[in-house]
Amino acid sequence: MSSPTLSSQTEIKEFLRPLLMGVEEEELDVLAEKAIVRTLPAQAIICQEGEIGDAVYVVVEGEVEVFKRMDDETEHHLHYTGAGEFFGEMAVLQESARTATVRTTRPTTILEIGRDPFLEALGRSPSLGIRIMVRLTNRLRDSDQQAIAKLSQANAELTRMLHRLERLDRTKSDFIQVAAHELRTPVAALTGYAQILRGDPAVQGTSNLRALVEGITSSAERLHRIFNSILDVSKVMSGELQVRRSPVSLSLVLRGIASDFMAALQERHLTLTVEGFDELPYCPGDPDLLYKAFHHLINNAIKYTPNGGQITVSGRVTKAAELGRCIEVAVQDTGIGIAPEDLELIFEKFYRQGEVAFHSSGTTQFKGGGPGLGLTIAQGIIVAHGGRIWAESPGYDETTCPGSRFVVQLPVGSET
Ligand code: ADP
């Protein structure tokens, strides 16, 4: 095809005539007079996304590509525009900024028509207006379809990734479970040997050796607790937690837990108040599992409350939406509190708020940290009982200590 040279106003007018069908002769003359012919090399930017639309363009010869720059610096191709086609008219019609960038794909000649003469011509030719509208609508429909295709492609990719991650997570959980199971046996043996050593007169008579054996015993016990927690979490995650129901006295459960922590409470100068449990009905549940759940909650209250603080565990019967009649237990402390964005995340396995030190010593030290499994286990147990658990706190602040409140609701069925 020979290239239109458009070296004179008459040639521009003749080029525009079929494109602007219906526009009066005088109007065509004005447009031809005001149009600017530009010849550009390949990859030249004609107009940029974000710029105000003050002109429309027609491709005389060659081709342009319309594209958007994405946040990650990649380019999203919209369409190509070839000879005899308009581009850039959307921003002019909407009196707004350009929504895309246009660049030549090869050496290209374009006609640039200023905003005002273009709008004037458009006003005088309804048929031109309709043609432009139809073109814009088609283009919008095309880009809608493109976007939908891209979205469903991305969706399919995400679903594939999710399944892959779920499989990996399962493999990881299986591995952790097997490892925890296998490691429990040698650790139990280690604890046994340490007990024997502890009773040996040679060790009892030497304070250095005694301290070493104590160290071995407490580290082995800690390992044992961690392995048990890991096994509990795997049961929770795989839905294998078995709830052996019997009427449970939560008063007894809490008394047991309080006596477990007696020494720690004294050492840390913490006050534990248990109130309202004597009037509670029996709770249909698994006593061992419920013991474990509340043990974790009270252990956390101790860990995250500075010395001299107050922990209150209160029980009452209430009615809750969806659960109906239930026993509500709240564990409230005067500790460091929890940031709003962490209130739900802390129930995720291995999740720990902020920079928590991972101490190798006792589980009741202030901010003693842990593997981040206690709340996952507690939640798993409560949910397996058909109940629910959540955390409340005004926020996280180690200076003012706004405190936290963990609430558990366990359904007890209707009163008979
Ligand atoms: P961990 O072994 O770290 O204590 P948990 O699952 O029991 O694991 O708790 C997860 C995280 O939730 C903790 O690391 C801590 O940041 C936060 N948390 C739990 N209980 C409390 C509490 N009573 N006060 C403040 N933060 C708490």
Side-chain angles (χ1 to χ4, degrees), residues 43 56 66 76 101 125 137 141 166 212 244 261 275 291 309:
Q43 304 301 314
V56 299
V66 185
H76 172 64
T101 300
S125 165
T137 316
R141 202 172 37 209
E166 278 173 353
L212 284 176
R244 288 178 235 280
F261 287 121
E275 58 191 26
Y291 191 96

Side-chain angles (χ1 to χ4, degrees), residues 7 27 34-35 69 111 137 150 178 181 184 201 228 262 268 278 310-311 313 332 343 349 373 411 413 415:
S7 50
E27 209 62 58
K34 302 226 162 131
R69 287 215 168 86
L111 261 189
T137 316
K150 277 225 154 115
V178 170
H181 208 86
R184 237 175 15 164
N228 280 343
M262 188 96 80
R268 302 269 325 280
D278 291 337
Q310 165 80 40
I311 298 160
V313 186
Q332 171 121 36
L343 285 173
K349 60 179 189 290
L373 297 174
E415 215 165 354

Side-chain angles (χ1 to χ4, degrees), residues 48-66:
Q48 295 256 29
E49 185 173 351
E51 284 173 2
I52 289 297
D54 52 5
V56 299
Y57 307 90
V58 191
V59 180
V60 178
E61 200 202 9
E63 184 191 59
V64 297
E65 181 187 9
V66 185

Side-chain angles (χ1 to χ4, degrees), residues 300-301 303-304 333 336-338 346 351-353 356 369-376 404 406:
N300 278 348
K303 264 196 308 192
Y304 300 105
D333 62 47
I336 56 177
I338 301 163
I346 51 172
Y351 188 86
R352 294 183 297 150
Q353 178 178 236
V356 185
L373 297 174
L375 288 180
T376 314
S404 310
F406 284 80

